[in-house]
Amino acid sequence: MTLTPAFHIQDLTVGYDQHVIIDRLTLSLGKGRLTALVGPNGCGKSTLLKSLAHLLKPQNGLVELEDGATLAELNTKAIARRIALLPQTPLVPEGIRVFDLVAYGRAPHLNAFGQLKDRDRERVRQAMARVDVTELAARPVTQLSGGQRQRVWMAMILAQDTDIVLLDEPTTYLDMAHQYDLLELVRQLIDDGRTVITVLHDLNQACRFADELVVMKAGRIMAQGNPEVVMSESLLAEVFGLDARIVPDPESGTPLCVPRVKPSVSTHTNPDERDTPKRRLKADLAAIAV
Amino acid sequence: MTRWLPMSVTLMVVLVLFSAWHLGFGAVKISPPDLWRTLMHQQPEYEFILYGYRMPRLVIAALVGAALALSGLLVQGVVRNPLASPDILGVTGGASLAVVGFSIAWTGAPVAWVPIVALAGGFASLGCLLWLARPVLNQPASLALVGVALSALFAAAIDFLLTLYPLEINSSLIWLTGSVWGRNWSHLPLIVPWLIILIPVAALLAYRLDLLNLGDATATSLGTRVSGLRLLALLTAVALASASVSVCGAISFVGLVAPHMARFLVGHRHLPLIPVCLLLGAILMVSADLFARVLMPPIELPAGIVTAFIGAPYFVFLITRYKHW
């Protein structure tokens, strides 16, 4: 790869206790690009993401940053100034207001007592403006809708002011419109010059928004590269066990996976013929009566 | 941020009022003007009662209440569960068991030893807790469950010893229920140094505990060393709880209730919570000791019974209100 890597992962082995999830993985992830980690459930993509944030310490191998420093050498606060992570289900403290939550993003830049300076407040305001939550500043986070809440978390990540942003399935729990809003926002981070690595479940979204796909299965890299190059029917069959066609997305021209209809399954039936529990009960009762 | 200062001042006034009532009430009643003159050294008549008996008792009650409240705040911050309190970590039970065992093993042992034994018991039980819970140290809820089991075990052991040696440990019974009766200035060194050292430690941990409220993953990615923070906060909480148990025995519910009241008053941030929590703990304990004496004179109830009377219904209320199971 000719691009500068944001991460270089060498012989990485990680797992929980004795259970190894990723075994001797070597991988480089490009700087200033949006990389999507995709793969079936349990393939190790979240584990890889957590290793990149040093939430999981490697049993073996290392994760190197752009300047050659390994995560193991850096302390937690130093890592936090360079890498931000949005976990899948962050906890919202009861009663906390939007501004205060976004301000926690400044934590790695503050002293032990967490006092905000004027510069920090300015950063927080900029971050809120960037994701359009300025007018929510005084609202309790628990009162917000799912979409608003995810924007607030994104604001926190922005306030952290890191070159690298890691997102763990950021679109989960959002309706479709909000999913696309969020992904467009993520694209803007790339335009700002940041590196984003995100776990995504939806392959079509990954193909449309990501510069690069990393396809994983059982802790291994099955393919890496531009979505147009990587996506193929054989890959879908091999990795996901999915029988699907790949057609160009009519909007963006990026690959679109359309699963084939299995001959044995009828996908749409007349509502009057549909098998509902109530109808089944009626039929059973009729049978007994006879 | 803006509310904690006026709130602390208000609570300070409440504490002073309760303290004045506490000092004036008793077999010999001291009226407020007399109290004032005695404090200003203009009237020697009540000096002996005041400085010999009531003042040390008041000061001890306030300090113990403050220590328990701060301990509860830290435990709730670490376990991230508002139902958590120092009691459930088994510290109180361990300290009590140590005292009971000690009074059986050495009948007629000097009372002065009791606090030291209690302190040792408290820390020993923390050792047990950390050792038993070492696989689940990063799962606060499991840690709390191990603590609950440990508490039950200690309580069973205490009951067993009480049945086996009913005579030897009658005197430790009073101590077990938690009472500030008969406490004097000599007990002050058992609690004051702990507070002087540990309140600044708690203040230093406060912001990191705020971050911990966001969950382990977020806290770590914001630069917090979660496991170290958790251990340090737990050690601080246990030291505070053990120190107060060593002076007064087991006082239940102050450590549970005070942090909740404090959160209700000033919100979720730990730094402003600390002064408010300390004051509320002191007020709760002083008023509990006051009511323990006011309710049915000349009988004095142990203050621990009063806190339990107030605390238990509140606990039920809390459970019905708490939504995040």
Side-chain angles (χ1 to χ4, degrees):
Chain A
M1 188 183 292
T2 50
L3 289 160
T4 344
F7 279 110
H8 180 69
I9 300 147
Q10 185 71 46
D11 289 324
L12 181 75
T13 303
V14 276
Y16 303 91
D17 299 322
Q18 307 303 320
H19 188 53
V20 172
I21 297 188
I22 292 174
D23 193 13
R24 279 169 292 159
L25 182 137
T26 297
L27 177 72
S28 283
L29 298 170
K31 183 178 153 70
R33 289 151 71 83
L34 174 52
T35 304
L37 306 179
V38 298
N41 293 330
C43 70
K45 52 191 193 292
S46 281
T47 306
L48 178 60
L49 196 79
K50 282 181 191 143
S51 312
L52 296 180
H54 210 51
L55 286 187
L56 284 175
K57 316 234 174 329
Q59 292 168 357
N60 210 345
L62 51 86
V63 178
E64 221 173 58
L65 293 172
E66 189 192 346
D67 59 0
T70 64
L71 291 186
E73 292 165 3
L74 297 170
N75 69 35
T76 317
K77 213 167 176 174
I79 293 175
R81 284 192 214 107
R82 303 178 65 170
I83 305 170
L85 167 83
L86 181 58
Q88 203 175 344
T89 46
L91 302 176
V92 182
E94 205 154 326
I96 191 171
R97 289 169 198 286
V98 169
F99 183 91
D100 294 328
L101 186 65
V102 177
Y104 282 144
R106 295 303 296 163
H109 308 277
L110 303 179
N111 65 13
F113 295 100
Q115 284 163 313
L116 294 173
K117 299 198 178 74
D118 286 342
R119 184 176 40 122
D120 298 304
R121 283 200 195 84
E122 188 49 39
R123 286 280 188 199
V124 172
R125 273 190 284 270
Q126 281 169 3
M128 289 196 300
R130 191 84 170 85
V131 301
D132 247 347
V133 293
T134 307
E135 67 280 12
L136 302 176
R139 292 267 300 276
V141 179
T142 38
Q143 286 180 9
L144 303 181
S145 71
Q148 288 172 326
R149 213 184 272 202
Q150 200 67 339
R151 294 185 89 85
V152 169
W153 285 114
M154 288 300 290
M156 189 188 93
I157 297 286
L158 287 177
Q160 198 173 336
D161 213 4
T162 57
D163 287 339
I164 300 172
V165 172
L166 307 176
L167 306 169
D168 195 355
E169 295 188 26
T171 52
T172 323
Y173 310 121
L174 297 183
D175 62 44
M176 207 164 176
H178 284 108
Q179 289 184 9
Y180 280 85
D181 279 350
L182 189 93
L183 289 167
E184 270 151 29
L185 187 67
V186 172
R187 261 321 320 172
Q188 289 173 19
L189 299 187
I190 300 296
D191 299 339
D192 293 349
R194 297 178 210 240
T195 304
V196 180
I197 293 147
T198 175
V199 171
L200 276 182
H201 247 308
D202 189 312
L203 284 177
N204 296 332
Q205 289 175 352
C207 288
R208 182 183 282 198
F209 289 97
D211 299 308
E212 181 162 276
L213 295 188
V214 172
V215 186
M216 294 182 70
K217 185 187 181 184
R220 287 170 195 286
I221 307 292
M222 305 300 283
Q224 180 183 9
N226 187 300
E228 275 83 4
V229 177
V230 165
M231 267 299 154
S232 69
E233 295 185 8
S234 60
L235 183 87
L236 287 178
E238 192 188 350
V239 174
F240 292 92
L242 182 71
D243 184 18
R245 287 171 62 194
I246 291 181
V247 295
D249 186 325
E251 273 299 313
S252 59
T254 51
L256 185 69
C257 311
V258 186
R260 287 202 173 83
V261 176
K262 289 181 184 159
S264 58
V265 179
S266 61
T267 50
H268 186 258
T269 45
N270 186 330
D272 295 333
E273 293 161 20
R274 213 176 279 155
D275 193 20
T276 65
K278 206 172 164 186
R279 286 217 177 87
R280 211 176 307 149
L281 185 69
K282 243 183 207 165
D284 287 348
L285 286 176
I288 293 166
V290 169
Chain B
M1 191 62 203
T2 46
R3 260 196 312 169
W4 74 272
L5 197 58
M7 192 56 76
S8 300
V9 172
T10 314
L11 290 173
M12 198 83 87
V13 171
V14 173
L15 180 59
V16 167
L17 289 176
F18 269 113
S19 301
W21 189 3
H22 187 279
L23 288 175
F25 186 84
V28 178
K29 294 211 167 40
I30 306 174
S31 69
D34 284 344
L35 188 63
W36 180 252
R37 280 194 286 274
T38 314
L39 288 173
M40 293 293 111
H41 298 287
Q42 292 163 349
Q43 194 175 352
E45 190 186 346
Y46 298 114
E47 265 184 13
F48 181 68
I49 299 177
L50 202 62
Y51 290 112
Y53 291 97
R54 293 193 188 160
M55 190 75 94
R57 180 174 176 156
L58 170 79
V59 171
I60 295 270
L63 293 178
V64 163
L68 283 171
L70 183 56
S71 174
L73 181 69
L74 292 170
V75 172
Q76 288 174 9
V78 169
V79 181
R80 277 199 299 256
N81 186 324
L83 299 181
S85 71
D87 313 8
I88 68 154
L89 292 179
V91 177
T92 327
S96 304
L97 178 61
V99 170
V100 170
F102 175 74
S103 32
I104 291 166
W106 186 3
T107 13
V111 193
W113 280 76
V114 168
I116 295 147
V117 173
L119 203 61
F123 273 96
S125 63
L126 174 71
C128 286
L129 176 69
L130 291 178
W131 184 72
L132 286 171
R134 69 194 179 287
V136 291
L137 270 184
N138 53 356
Q139 296 157 32
S142 311
L143 180 77
L145 281 180
V146 175
V148 169
L150 211 55
S151 299
L153 184 71
F154 289 146
I158 292 170
D159 284 346
F160 175 73
L161 290 175
L162 283 176
T163 333
L164 220 55
Y165 307 93
L167 291 178
E168 284 86 340
I169 44 186
N170 236 338
S171 63
S172 49
L173 257 183
I174 280 281
W175 186 85
L176 280 181
T177 45
S179 167
V180 277
W181 178 80
R183 301 301 189 267
N184 55 51
W185 295 118
S186 73
H187 291 97
L188 220 49
L190 291 167
I191 183 101
V192 172
W194 291 106
L195 282 170
I196 291 176
I197 298 167
L198 296 177
I199 290 175
V201 172
L204 202 61
L205 297 179
Y207 182 61
R208 282 165 240 201
L209 287 172
D210 292 347
L211 297 176
L212 193 62
N213 264 343
L214 304 171
D216 285 13
T218 313
T220 309
S221 67
L222 290 174
T224 314
R225 284 183 44 235
V226 168
S227 49
L229 166 66
R230 199 172 270 150
L231 194 64
L232 193 55
L234 271 184
L235 279 172
T236 310
V238 166
L240 285 165
S242 301
S244 52
V245 174
S246 77
V247 180
C248 294
I251 308 272
S252 47
F253 291 111
V254 173
L256 173 73
V257 175
H260 279 288
M261 297 168 79
R263 277 199 197 88
F264 180 74
L265 294 175
V266 290
H268 57 93
R269 293 183 52 225
H270 282 81
L271 199 57
L273 272 173
I274 291 174
V276 173
C277 213
L278 289 168
L279 284 165
L280 276 169
I283 292 170
L284 278 177
M285 196 58 200
V286 167
S287 55
D289 186 45
L290 175 66
F291 291 132
R293 297 188 298 143
V294 172
L295 279 180
M296 36 173 129
I299 298 172
E300 288 194 5
L301 297 169
I305 289 185
V306 178
T307 58
F309 255 114
I310 304 167
Y314 180 77
F315 191 68
V316 173
F317 165 73
L318 202 64
I319 288 176
T320 54
R321 222 195 61 145
Y322 187 54
K323 308 175 282 273
H324 311 284
W325 289 111

